[in-house]
Amino acid sequence: MSGAREKKRAKKMRNQPASVTLPAEPGPFSSGGSRACPPPGDVHSEQQYQQQKFSNQSSGPSYRKDQYFPKGQNRGERGRGRGGWQGGCRSVSVEMPKYITVSAFAEARAAEINAMLKAVTQKSSNSLVFQTLPRHMRRRAMSHNIKRLPRRLQEMARKEAEKAVHQKKEQSKTKCRKARRRHINLVAEFNRRQRKNIWLETHIWHAKRFHMVKKWGYCLGESPTEKSYRACYRAMTKHCLLQDLSYYCCLELTGKENELLEQLARICNIDTGLTFEEASCLSGGFEGSLNLYRADHYPEDMLGPVTFIWKPKDGSENRQLWIWMHPALKQDILRELKAIFQCTEPEEIYIPEPVTTSTEEEKQIDVAVTLGKKRKKEDKEGEKAVPLKKIIGDGTRDPGQSYSWISQASGIVISDRSMEILRYRLIGPLSHSALTGTLKAASLQTEMAESDTEQNNWWVENCKNSEKVSLHQRQSAVFELLEGLSSPSEMPPGTILGLTVGDPRVNLPKKKTKAVPDFEKYRDNDKVRQLYLEGVPVDCAHSFIWDQDICKNVTENKISEQDLNHMRSQLLVPGSHLDLGPCESKIPILLVQQPGKMAGEDRPGWGSGWDIYLPKGWGMAFWIPFIYRGVRVGGLQEALKHSEYQRIPHTPNDFPDCQAGMKFAKELETSLLEKFKRRPPAKRANYVKLGTLTPFVCPWGQLTKNWEGRMKASGEFVHPSSPHPMCCTMEGHSFCGPKAEVVKESSPETDEEKETMEITSSEGVLMKNDVTGTQDFGGRDETKTSDFIVLRSEKLLMQVSAWCYPTAGKDRRVRLVSRLGQKEMTEDVFLPILMSYPRALVWVNLSLLRKGNPELHSMICIPTEDDLLHLSKDKLFCGPQEPRHHDIFKHRVQKLKEEKKKKKKHNMKAVESDPPSVSDKETTEEHEDLILGLWSGALPDVTSHCSRTLLGYVTRGDFSLAVGCGEALGFVSLTGLLYMLYNQPADKKGLVLLRTPASLQYRFARLTIEV
């Protein structure tokens, strides 16, 4: 055998089992043959075979052994390893062994037979059986028809097919678009997608046109995808803007009037404005708004703002009250109401999840169950699945919670009617024109359309009552007169009008039109003038929407879109008016006037409109007709701008003293901090150098605490030019230099160490200010509502607002204050206010004098005498600049980076053998929270950290399209505000400085308080 053949044979036999014995290839020997190697059990033959092998190896050519195998290893050892067959051995005899031991031979070959069978049955690749055939034998039908394979491979292919069927995932048979778009499958998919966040009835319409966000348990539209920022403002100012407020929550209270008022008086106060006992609201003719507090805790523990509507008196002893609130406030208010009325959860009213559906949906579901059996989903047990229904629930309520609570002592019932009543808001001067163009009063009906249906049976019964028919006619007449008004603000604030209307889908125009009032029609109408002067009569506020049974009947007997379109297709003249006659649905609604901007002197009535309350299930039936009347739709962003232009607080952003406001501030701080960290250090602002202590949150507790400390330390108001009670380190600048020392004091009661700053000013006054507030993001404890309050007393706010007016002379100021009915600013007047409210915030609005655009968390500061003098000399003076501060944390951040680099270089064994000392651990933990550009650790005195004394912060700010300049809204410390007003000259009252967090430039602004 040649050398090439020996190498080929050795390579082929390298991976064979150790006990396999194969005959050698014939070679050029005199014997002319070869023999098999003896079995391991035959000792005699083995010895003879070894002798022959070695003799032949010595007689053969030596260069082959030395060339192809290492020294000390022959070809047989290389091919078989230890104890294997002699690969390539050359035999010298053709004689077979005379005898073998059967048991030993079979035992030695059992492992070889098993390995051979395993290799034959086990696939060595992922290919199928028909893919192993040569290409000329393959057929396309082999993949699905086993009989096209050769007979020897058919059994194996059958096993492969059975195995593939079991491994294949069970997929739904309805995968095509036509099947996915079936109503029952769409409802099932929509229910799955709104398990965590409930959809409004207009969700599909919004999702195609808006950026959607998930908030407060709902999926809501944030802002339109098209460019419509200015267009929405124009709609609010000149035409009409539509918003879906159905996510607002409604709590219904039912019980005796005196018992309701007795307990509700504990959670509100007459100092803040209206109460539940207001006579105009108690009659049911007007909507009221107020702020709720925990029972007997005013002015602390704020719950949030609400609006309320009383059901008009109908002769019954019990009264109904609706309280509408933001979903972020619902749980706190509901918990407080249950506590004051001592309500429990009745078992007989317990419903896990309010699931409702229309009759048309149920009919379609039944058809799908009977006819579409192939597509009917079944569970593992083979039972039929529960019929699918559209979920109309409340995202703020868990499925296992109750929706009604009753008081065993007084019998008062609290019902959660969230998502049971839909709420739309029309904003703009022509909102009543869109209303009158879209809705038409329901026609009277005295006979049933069909005997086997309950549609409109409640309306037929009421039409038989002459008093109710007369009331409906008066309501219809008042509703038609609304078109003669130029703006909804001409109506008394909070006017309520009840009405029953027909199906608005019947009155759809052929194409989109803009609703425009017809003033010529009502120019000389005395009734319009009477409506403008007297308002809507109280009895016209009655509506059937208060009756839950009627609302349920209206929802269940709604005509489907499919039936309505079928009726339209059967009209003789296409596009003509569709008259449903007695089959037309009658829907009870409630119209509530929104007064718009009421505080202040500029733009009175701006943003006024109407709120529409509807039964559930009719959302899109009213939404589309409003769209066809030319209204523009807004989202959460437009609602925020609407309140900003009205200069009123927005829920929950601008309520820092309630739990929902604190939660919102923490979430905003977290999101802004994460956004800040995503940017590289070279591409983000260094707020330490800019003198901004808290760029992502407003430390209200620290602000009020520092102002209280300044007042107690000074004992009297000092001039703004006096030295600040704390030094601030600048680059190249040194301001009045009181020395601050951090002293640790231990409380004898708690044995806890508190850091206080002992600051000695130039006058020698020793002041101690707690610096417990920290910049540990998310770790600052401001959940205690007792740290500060927001001043909402109308009497005090009007007094402070009068002091903010600038006047040229002293006598003119006295006349102005007396004209406003307020007292002049003296120590005898404002010192009692400070003693009563030492840690109070005041809601203010600011308007920039010149250019500038205020931003979120901008700082409101007090100008010095030099700033005011410079402004009086130079009218174009924008404002001073803040000197750049020194970053005291920069070397710590660099040290932390070096330590991290050293840790990476060190070996883990060295670290384990030499553990770090206690001091090293403390420095590491201290540096873990360090972020370049942010203040770390305890906050200093926030009022005196910069060159201008801090007064407050901005919560919302932007360029105002209504005024044409930058405007901001925020809170200032009441103590600091009185301090500033007391020391400012008469012609400069209310002038402050604004500085954005990422800038050193101060800009002058005018501060006002609107009540």
mmCIF file with all atom_site columns, all heavy atoms in Angstrom, residues 194 198-199 201 353-357 390-394 397 418-420 422 555 616-617:
data_model
loop_
_atom_site.group_PDB
_atom_site.id
_atom_site.type_symbol
_atom_site.label_atom_id
_atom_site.label_alt_id
_atom_site.label_comp_id
_atom_site.label_asym_id
_atom_site.label_entity_id
_atom_site.label_seq_id
_atom_site.pdbx_PDB_ins_code
_atom_site.Cartn_x
_atom_site.Cartn_y
_atom_site.Cartn_z
_atom_site.occupancy
_atom_site.B_iso_or_equiv
_atom_site.pdbx_formal_charge
_atom_site.auth_seq_id
_atom_site.auth_comp_id
_atom_site.auth_asym_id
_atom_site.auth_atom_id
_atom_site.pdbx_PDB_model_num
ATOM 1   N N   . GLN A 1 194 ? -56.719 47.012 26.638 1.00 0.00 ? 194 GLN A N   1
ATOM 2   C CA  . GLN A 1 194 ? -57.062 48.006 27.651 1.00 0.00 ? 194 GLN A CA  1
ATOM 3   C C   . GLN A 1 194 ? -57.254 47.375 29.017 1.00 0.00 ? 194 GLN A C   1
ATOM 4   O O   . GLN A 1 194 ? -58.081 47.814 29.808 1.00 0.00 ? 194 GLN A O   1
ATOM 5   C CB  . GLN A 1 194 ? -58.308 48.784 27.239 1.00 0.00 ? 194 GLN A CB  1
ATOM 6   C CG  . GLN A 1 194 ? -59.543 47.962 26.961 1.00 0.00 ? 194 GLN A CG  1
ATOM 7   C CD  . GLN A 1 194 ? -60.736 48.848 26.666 1.00 0.00 ? 194 GLN A CD  1
ATOM 8   O OE1 . GLN A 1 194 ? -60.923 49.871 27.294 1.00 0.00 ? 194 GLN A OE1 1
ATOM 9   N NE2 . GLN A 1 194 ? -61.545 48.443 25.708 1.00 0.00 ? 194 GLN A NE2 1
ATOM 10  N N   . ILE A 1 198 ? -57.568 51.992 30.610 1.00 0.00 ? 198 ILE A N   1
ATOM 11  C CA  . ILE A 1 198 ? -58.874 52.019 29.986 1.00 0.00 ? 198 ILE A CA  1
ATOM 12  C C   . ILE A 1 198 ? -58.898 53.021 28.835 1.00 0.00 ? 198 ILE A C   1
ATOM 13  O O   . ILE A 1 198 ? -58.292 54.092 28.908 1.00 0.00 ? 198 ILE A O   1
ATOM 14  C CB  . ILE A 1 198 ? -59.952 52.370 31.036 1.00 0.00 ? 198 ILE A CB  1
ATOM 15  C CG1 . ILE A 1 198 ? -60.029 51.244 32.083 1.00 0.00 ? 198 ILE A CG1 1
ATOM 16  C CG2 . ILE A 1 198 ? -61.312 52.571 30.394 1.00 0.00 ? 198 ILE A CG2 1
ATOM 17  C CD1 . ILE A 1 198 ? -60.484 49.925 31.540 1.00 0.00 ? 198 ILE A CD1 1
ATOM 18  N N   . TRP A 1 199 ? -59.623 52.657 27.786 1.00 0.00 ? 199 TRP A N   1
ATOM 19  C CA  . TRP A 1 199 ? -59.802 53.550 26.647 1.00 0.00 ? 199 TRP A CA  1
ATOM 20  C C   . TRP A 1 199 ? -61.088 54.348 26.823 1.00 0.00 ? 199 TRP A C   1
ATOM 21  O O   . TRP A 1 199 ? -62.089 53.864 27.345 1.00 0.00 ? 199 TRP A O   1
ATOM 22  C CB  . TRP A 1 199 ? -59.897 52.766 25.348 1.00 0.00 ? 199 TRP A CB  1
ATOM 23  C CG  . TRP A 1 199 ? -58.650 52.087 24.931 1.00 0.00 ? 199 TRP A CG  1
ATOM 24  C CD1 . TRP A 1 199 ? -57.442 52.125 25.568 1.00 0.00 ? 199 TRP A CD1 1
ATOM 25  C CD2 . TRP A 1 199 ? -58.468 51.246 23.796 1.00 0.00 ? 199 TRP A CD2 1
ATOM 26  N NE1 . TRP A 1 199 ? -56.519 51.372 24.896 1.00 0.00 ? 199 TRP A NE1 1
ATOM 27  C CE2 . TRP A 1 199 ? -57.128 50.812 23.796 1.00 0.00 ? 199 TRP A CE2 1
ATOM 28  C CE3 . TRP A 1 199 ? -59.301 50.824 22.779 1.00 0.00 ? 199 TRP A CE3 1
ATOM 29  C CZ2 . TRP A 1 199 ? -56.607 49.981 22.826 1.00 0.00 ? 199 TRP A CZ2 1
ATOM 30  C CZ3 . TRP A 1 199 ? -58.786 49.988 21.804 1.00 0.00 ? 199 TRP A CZ3 1
ATOM 31  C CH2 . TRP A 1 199 ? -57.458 49.581 21.824 1.00 0.00 ? 199 TRP A CH2 1
ATOM 32  N N   . GLU A 1 201 ? -64.289 56.286 24.870 1.00 0.00 ? 201 GLU A N   1
ATOM 33  C CA  . GLU A 1 201 ? -65.076 55.862 23.712 1.00 0.00 ? 201 GLU A CA  1
ATOM 34  C C   . GLU A 1 201 ? -64.560 56.489 22.422 1.00 0.00 ? 201 GLU A C   1
ATOM 35  O O   . GLU A 1 201 ? -64.816 55.972 21.339 1.00 0.00 ? 201 GLU A O   1
ATOM 36  C CB  . GLU A 1 201 ? -66.548 56.212 23.924 1.00 0.00 ? 201 GLU A CB  1
ATOM 37  C CG  . GLU A 1 201 ? -67.203 55.401 25.029 1.00 0.00 ? 201 GLU A CG  1
ATOM 38  C CD  . GLU A 1 201 ? -68.708 55.578 25.072 1.00 0.00 ? 201 GLU A CD  1
ATOM 39  O OE1 . GLU A 1 201 ? -69.267 56.136 24.099 1.00 0.00 ? 201 GLU A OE1 1
ATOM 40  O OE2 . GLU A 1 201 ? -69.327 55.170 26.064 1.00 0.00 ? 201 GLU A OE2 1
ATOM 41  N N   . GLU A 1 353 ? -66.776 43.874 38.144 1.00 0.00 ? 353 GLU A N   1
ATOM 42  C CA  . GLU A 1 353 ? -66.376 44.747 37.032 1.00 0.00 ? 353 GLU A CA  1
ATOM 43  C C   . GLU A 1 353 ? -67.616 45.174 36.288 1.00 0.00 ? 353 GLU A C   1
ATOM 44  O O   . GLU A 1 353 ? -68.388 44.333 35.826 1.00 0.00 ? 353 GLU A O   1
ATOM 45  C CB  . GLU A 1 353 ? -65.438 43.999 36.080 1.00 0.00 ? 353 GLU A CB  1
ATOM 46  C CG  . GLU A 1 353 ? -65.000 44.805 34.881 1.00 0.00 ? 353 GLU A CG  1
ATOM 47  C CD  . GLU A 1 353 ? -64.127 45.963 35.266 1.00 0.00 ? 353 GLU A CD  1
ATOM 48  O OE1 . GLU A 1 353 ? -63.469 45.895 36.320 1.00 0.00 ? 353 GLU A OE1 1
ATOM 49  O OE2 . GLU A 1 353 ? -64.109 46.952 34.527 1.00 0.00 ? 353 GLU A OE2 1
ATOM 50  N N   . PRO A 1 354 ? -67.864 46.463 36.178 1.00 0.00 ? 354 PRO A N   1
ATOM 51  C CA  . PRO A 1 354 ? -69.047 46.917 35.441 1.00 0.00 ? 354 PRO A CA  1
ATOM 52  C C   . PRO A 1 354 ? -68.878 46.706 33.952 1.00 0.00 ? 354 PRO A C   1
ATOM 53  O O   . PRO A 1 354 ? -68.164 47.433 33.286 1.00 0.00 ? 354 PRO A O   1
ATOM 54  C CB  . PRO A 1 354 ? -69.122 48.405 35.786 1.00 0.00 ? 354 PRO A CB  1
ATOM 55  C CG  . PRO A 1 354 ? -67.720 48.778 36.112 1.00 0.00 ? 354 PRO A CG  1
ATOM 56  C CD  . PRO A 1 354 ? -67.080 47.559 36.724 1.00 0.00 ? 354 PRO A CD  1
ATOM 57  N N   . VAL A 1 355 ? -69.493 45.646 33.443 1.00 0.00 ? 355 VAL A N   1
ATOM 58  C CA  . VAL A 1 355 ? -69.396 45.308 32.034 1.00 0.00 ? 355 VAL A CA  1
ATOM 59  C C   . VAL A 1 355 ? -70.744 45.550 31.389 1.00 0.00 ? 355 VAL A C   1
ATOM 60  O O   . VAL A 1 355 ? -71.749 44.999 31.823 1.00 0.00 ? 355 VAL A O   1
ATOM 61  C CB  . VAL A 1 355 ? -68.968 43.838 31.847 1.00 0.00 ? 355 VAL A CB  1
ATOM 62  C CG1 . VAL A 1 355 ? -68.873 43.506 30.371 1.00 0.00 ? 355 VAL A CG1 1
ATOM 63  C CG2 . VAL A 1 355 ? -67.647 43.592 32.548 1.00 0.00 ? 355 VAL A CG2 1
ATOM 64  N N   . THR A 1 356 ? -70.784 46.372 30.395 1.00 0.00 ? 356 THR A N   1
ATOM 65  C CA  . THR A 1 356 ? -72.027 46.679 29.706 1.00 0.00 ? 356 THR A CA  1
ATOM 66  C C   . THR A 1 356 ? -71.806 46.560 28.214 1.00 0.00 ? 356 THR A C   1
ATOM 67  O O   . THR A 1 356 ? -70.691 46.650 27.717 1.00 0.00 ? 356 THR A O   1
ATOM 68  C CB  . THR A 1 356 ? -72.504 48.104 30.026 1.00 0.00 ? 356 THR A CB  1
ATOM 69  O OG1 . THR A 1 356 ? -71.484 49.015 29.620 1.00 0.00 ? 356 THR A OG1 1
ATOM 70  C CG2 . THR A 1 356 ? -72.786 48.263 31.500 1.00 0.00 ? 356 THR A CG2 1
ATOM 71  N N   . THR A 1 357 ? -72.872 46.343 27.508 1.00 0.00 ? 357 THR A N   1
ATOM 72  C CA  . THR A 1 357 ? -72.799 46.236 26.065 1.00 0.00 ? 357 THR A CA  1
ATOM 73  C C   . THR A 1 357 ? -74.131 46.652 25.479 1.00 0.00 ? 357 THR A C   1
ATOM 74  O O   . THR A 1 357 ? -75.162 46.612 26.140 1.00 0.00 ? 357 THR A O   1
ATOM 75  C CB  . THR A 1 357 ? -72.455 44.797 25.627 1.00 0.00 ? 357 THR A CB  1
ATOM 76  O OG1 . THR A 1 357 ? -72.386 44.768 24.208 1.00 0.00 ? 357 THR A OG1 1
ATOM 77  C CG2 . THR A 1 357 ? -73.498 43.821 26.094 1.00 0.00 ? 357 THR A CG2 1
ATOM 78  N N   . LYS A 1 390 ? -67.913 44.436 25.247 1.00 0.00 ? 390 LYS A N   1
ATOM 79  C CA  . LYS A 1 390 ? -67.028 45.590 25.283 1.00 0.00 ? 390 LYS A CA  1
ATOM 80  C C   . LYS A 1 390 ? -66.943 46.124 26.698 1.00 0.00 ? 390 LYS A C   1
ATOM 81  O O   . LYS A 1 390 ? -67.947 46.386 27.343 1.00 0.00 ? 390 LYS A O   1
ATOM 82  C CB  . LYS A 1 390 ? -67.548 46.678 24.357 1.00 0.00 ? 390 LYS A CB  1
ATOM 83  C CG  . LYS A 1 390 ? -66.586 47.844 24.203 1.00 0.00 ? 390 LYS A CG  1
ATOM 84  C CD  . LYS A 1 390 ? -67.097 48.827 23.193 1.00 0.00 ? 390 LYS A CD  1
ATOM 85  C CE  . LYS A 1 390 ? -66.108 49.972 23.024 1.00 0.00 ? 390 LYS A CE  1
ATOM 86  N NZ  . LYS A 1 390 ? -66.585 50.956 22.043 1.00 0.00 ? 390 LYS A NZ  1
ATOM 87  N N   . ILE A 1 391 ? -65.733 46.257 27.186 1.00 0.00 ? 391 ILE A N   1
ATOM 88  C CA  . ILE A 1 391 ? -65.528 46.724 28.552 1.00 0.00 ? 391 ILE A CA  1
ATOM 89  C C   . ILE A 1 391 ? -65.662 48.244 28.584 1.00 0.00 ? 391 ILE A C   1
ATOM 90  O O   . ILE A 1 391 ? -64.946 48.953 27.891 1.00 0.00 ? 391 ILE A O   1
ATOM 91  C CB  . ILE A 1 391 ? -64.149 46.294 29.081 1.00 0.00 ? 391 ILE A CB  1
ATOM 92  C CG1 . ILE A 1 391 ? -64.081 44.767 29.184 1.00 0.00 ? 391 ILE A CG1 1
ATOM 93  C CG2 . ILE A 1 391 ? -63.878 46.929 30.429 1.00 0.00 ? 391 ILE A CG2 1
ATOM 94  C CD1 . ILE A 1 391 ? -62.748 44.250 29.628 1.00 0.00 ? 391 ILE A CD1 1
ATOM 95  N N   . ILE A 1 392 ? -66.596 48.734 29.377 1.00 0.00 ? 392 ILE A N   1
ATOM 96  C CA  . ILE A 1 392 ? -66.707 50.170 29.634 1.00 0.00 ? 392 ILE A CA  1
ATOM 97  C C   . ILE A 1 392 ? -66.580 50.333 31.137 1.00 0.00 ? 392 ILE A C   1
ATOM 98  O O   . ILE A 1 392 ? -67.539 50.198 31.873 1.00 0.00 ? 392 ILE A O   1
ATOM 99  C CB  . ILE A 1 392 ? -68.040 50.746 29.129 1.00 0.00 ? 392 ILE A CB  1
ATOM 100 C CG1 . ILE A 1 392 ? -68.209 50.462 27.641 1.00 0.00 ? 392 ILE A CG1 1
ATOM 101 C CG2 . ILE A 1 392 ? -68.103 52.246 29.372 1.00 0.00 ? 392 ILE A CG2 1
ATOM 102 C CD1 . ILE A 1 392 ? -69.525 50.912 27.072 1.00 0.00 ? 392 ILE A CD1 1
ATOM 103 N N   . GLY A 1 393 ? -65.385 50.553 31.609 1.00 0.00 ? 393 GLY A N   1
ATOM 104 C CA  . GLY A 1 393 ? -65.149 50.586 33.045 1.00 0.00 ? 393 GLY A CA  1
ATOM 105 C C   . GLY A 1 393 ? -64.441 51.847 33.474 1.00 0.00 ? 393 GLY A C   1
ATOM 106 O O   . GLY A 1 393 ? -64.478 52.863 32.801 1.00 0.00 ? 393 GLY A O   1
ATOM 107 N N   . ASP A 1 394 ? -63.779 51.776 34.595 1.00 0.00 ? 394 ASP A N   1
ATOM 108 C CA  . ASP A 1 394 ? -63.092 52.926 35.166 1.00 0.00 ? 394 ASP A CA  1
ATOM 109 C C   . ASP A 1 394 ? -61.661 52.522 35.450 1.00 0.00 ? 394 ASP A C   1
ATOM 110 O O   . ASP A 1 394 ? -61.405 51.570 36.176 1.00 0.00 ? 394 ASP A O   1
ATOM 111 C CB  . ASP A 1 394 ? -63.809 53.373 36.441 1.00 0.00 ? 394 ASP A CB  1
ATOM 112 C CG  . ASP A 1 394 ? -63.067 54.488 37.144 1.00 0.00 ? 394 ASP A CG  1
ATOM 113 O OD1 . ASP A 1 394 ? -62.286 55.170 36.461 1.00 0.00 ? 394 ASP A OD1 1
ATOM 114 O OD2 . ASP A 1 394 ? -63.246 54.671 38.349 1.00 0.00 ? 394 ASP A OD2 1
ATOM 115 N N   . ARG A 1 397 ? -60.301 52.276 39.206 1.00 0.00 ? 397 ARG A N   1
ATOM 116 C CA  . ARG A 1 397 ? -60.893 51.326 40.151 1.00 0.00 ? 397 ARG A CA  1
ATOM 117 C C   . ARG A 1 397 ? -60.444 49.925 39.798 1.00 0.00 ? 397 ARG A C   1
ATOM 118 O O   . ARG A 1 397 ? -60.490 49.517 38.638 1.00 0.00 ? 397 ARG A O   1
ATOM 119 C CB  . ARG A 1 397 ? -62.427 51.418 40.090 1.00 0.00 ? 397 ARG A CB  1
ATOM 120 C CG  . ARG A 1 397 ? -63.120 50.433 41.025 1.00 0.00 ? 397 ARG A CG  1
ATOM 121 C CD  . ARG A 1 397 ? -64.622 50.684 41.065 1.00 0.00 ? 397 ARG A CD  1
ATOM 122 N NE  . ARG A 1 397 ? -65.224 50.532 39.747 1.00 0.00 ? 397 ARG A NE  1
ATOM 123 C CZ  . ARG A 1 397 ? -66.081 51.389 39.244 1.00 0.00 ? 397 ARG A CZ  1
ATOM 124 N NH1 . ARG A 1 397 ? -66.411 52.468 39.898 1.00 0.00 ? 397 ARG A NH1 1
ATOM 125 N NH2 . ARG A 1 397 ? -66.614 51.179 38.053 1.00 0.00 ? 397 ARG A NH2 1
ATOM 126 N N   . SER A 1 418 ? -68.003 57.021 37.653 1.00 0.00 ? 418 SER A N   1
ATOM 127 C CA  . SER A 1 418 ? -66.958 57.318 36.674 1.00 0.00 ? 418 SER A CA  1
ATOM 128 C C   . SER A 1 418 ? -67.156 56.458 35.435 1.00 0.00 ? 418 SER A C   1
ATOM 129 O O   . SER A 1 418 ? -67.442 55.266 35.525 1.00 0.00 ? 418 SER A O   1
ATOM 130 C CB  . SER A 1 418 ? -65.574 57.050 37.271 1.00 0.00 ? 418 SER A CB  1
ATOM 131 O OG  . SER A 1 418 ? -65.381 57.814 38.432 1.00 0.00 ? 418 SER A OG  1
ATOM 132 N N   . MET A 1 419 ? -67.000 57.068 34.273 1.00 0.00 ? 419 MET A N   1
ATOM 133 C CA  . MET A 1 419 ? -67.185 56.443 32.966 1.00 0.00 ? 419 MET A CA  1
ATOM 134 C C   . MET A 1 419 ? -68.633 56.047 32.692 1.00 0.00 ? 419 MET A C   1
ATOM 135 O O   . MET A 1 419 ? -68.938 55.510 31.641 1.00 0.00 ? 419 MET A O   1
ATOM 136 C CB  . MET A 1 419 ? -66.286 55.208 32.803 1.00 0.00 ? 419 MET A CB  1
ATOM 137 C CG  . MET A 1 419 ? -64.805 55.519 32.803 1.00 0.00 ? 419 MET A CG  1
ATOM 138 S SD  . MET A 1 419 ? -64.292 56.514 31.395 1.00 0.00 ? 419 MET A SD  1
ATOM 139 C CE  . MET A 1 419 ? -64.530 55.368 30.056 1.00 0.00 ? 419 MET A CE  1
ATOM 140 N N   . GLU A 1 420 ? -69.530 56.282 33.643 1.00 0.00 ? 420 GLU A N   1
ATOM 141 C CA  . GLU A 1 420 ? -70.955 56.083 33.387 1.00 0.00 ? 420 GLU A CA  1
ATOM 142 C C   . GLU A 1 420 ? -71.551 57.308 32.711 1.00 0.00 ? 420 GLU A C   1
ATOM 143 O O   . GLU A 1 420 ? -72.531 57.203 31.970 1.00 0.00 ? 420 GLU A O   1
ATOM 144 C CB  . GLU A 1 420 ? -71.694 55.816 34.712 1.00 0.00 ? 420 GLU A CB  1
ATOM 145 C CG  . GLU A 1 420 ? -71.266 54.552 35.435 1.00 0.00 ? 420 GLU A CG  1
ATOM 146 C CD  . GLU A 1 420 ? -71.727 53.294 34.716 1.00 0.00 ? 420 GLU A CD  1
ATOM 147 O OE1 . GLU A 1 420 ? -72.866 53.276 34.224 1.00 0.00 ? 420 GLU A OE1 1
ATOM 148 O OE2 . GLU A 1 420 ? -70.935 52.336 34.638 1.00 0.00 ? 420 GLU A OE2 1
ATOM 149 N N   . LEU A 1 422 ? -70.424 60.482 30.289 1.00 0.00 ? 422 LEU A N   1
ATOM 150 C CA  . LEU A 1 422 ? -69.384 61.066 29.443 1.00 0.00 ? 422 LEU A CA  1
ATOM 151 C C   . LEU A 1 422 ? -69.438 62.586 29.546 1.00 0.00 ? 422 LEU A C   1
ATOM 152 O O   . LEU A 1 422 ? -70.490 63.173 29.820 1.00 0.00 ? 422 LEU A O   1
ATOM 153 C CB  . LEU A 1 422 ? -69.575 60.635 27.991 1.00 0.00 ? 422 LEU A CB  1
ATOM 154 C CG  . LEU A 1 422 ? -69.687 59.128 27.737 1.00 0.00 ? 422 LEU A CG  1
ATOM 155 C CD1 . LEU A 1 422 ? -69.797 58.866 26.249 1.00 0.00 ? 422 LEU A CD1 1
ATOM 156 C CD2 . LEU A 1 422 ? -68.509 58.378 28.326 1.00 0.00 ? 422 LEU A CD2 1
ATOM 157 N N   . THR A 1 555 ? -78.698 53.663 26.667 1.00 0.00 ? 555 THR A N   1
ATOM 158 C CA  . THR A 1 555 ? -77.465 53.031 26.196 1.00 0.00 ? 555 THR A CA  1
ATOM 159 C C   . THR A 1 555 ? -77.740 51.714 25.491 1.00 0.00 ? 555 THR A C   1
ATOM 160 O O   . THR A 1 555 ? -77.153 51.421 24.440 1.00 0.00 ? 555 THR A O   1
ATOM 161 C CB  . THR A 1 555 ? -76.508 52.805 27.382 1.00 0.00 ? 555 THR A CB  1
ATOM 162 O OG1 . THR A 1 555 ? -76.218 54.061 27.992 1.00 0.00 ? 555 THR A OG1 1
ATOM 163 C CG2 . THR A 1 555 ? -75.223 52.152 26.931 1.00 0.00 ? 555 THR A CG2 1
ATOM 164 N N   . LYS A 1 616 ? -73.328 56.994 28.833 1.00 0.00 ? 616 LYS A N   1
ATOM 165 C CA  . LYS A 1 616 ? -72.270 56.235 28.179 1.00 0.00 ? 616 LYS A CA  1
ATOM 166 C C   . LYS A 1 616 ? -72.827 55.464 26.983 1.00 0.00 ? 616 LYS A C   1
ATOM 167 O O   . LYS A 1 616 ? -74.028 55.171 26.899 1.00 0.00 ? 616 LYS A O   1
ATOM 168 C CB  . LYS A 1 616 ? -71.630 55.273 29.172 1.00 0.00 ? 616 LYS A CB  1
ATOM 169 C CG  . LYS A 1 616 ? -72.549 54.138 29.615 1.00 0.00 ? 616 LYS A CG  1
ATOM 170 C CD  . LYS A 1 616 ? -71.828 53.211 30.547 1.00 0.00 ? 616 LYS A CD  1
ATOM 171 C CE  . LYS A 1 616 ? -72.763 52.105 31.039 1.00 0.00 ? 616 LYS A CE  1
ATOM 172 N NZ  . LYS A 1 616 ? -72.105 51.210 31.983 1.00 0.00 ? 616 LYS A NZ  1
ATOM 173 N N   . GLY A 1 617 ? -71.933 55.131 26.050 1.00 0.00 ? 617 GLY A N   1
ATOM 174 C CA  . GLY A 1 617 ? -72.328 54.446 24.838 1.00 0.00 ? 617 GLY A CA  1
ATOM 175 C C   . GLY A 1 617 ? -72.637 55.380 23.678 1.00 0.00 ? 617 GLY A C   1
ATOM 176 O O   . GLY A 1 617 ? -72.716 54.938 22.529 1.00 0.00 ? 617 GLY A O   1
#
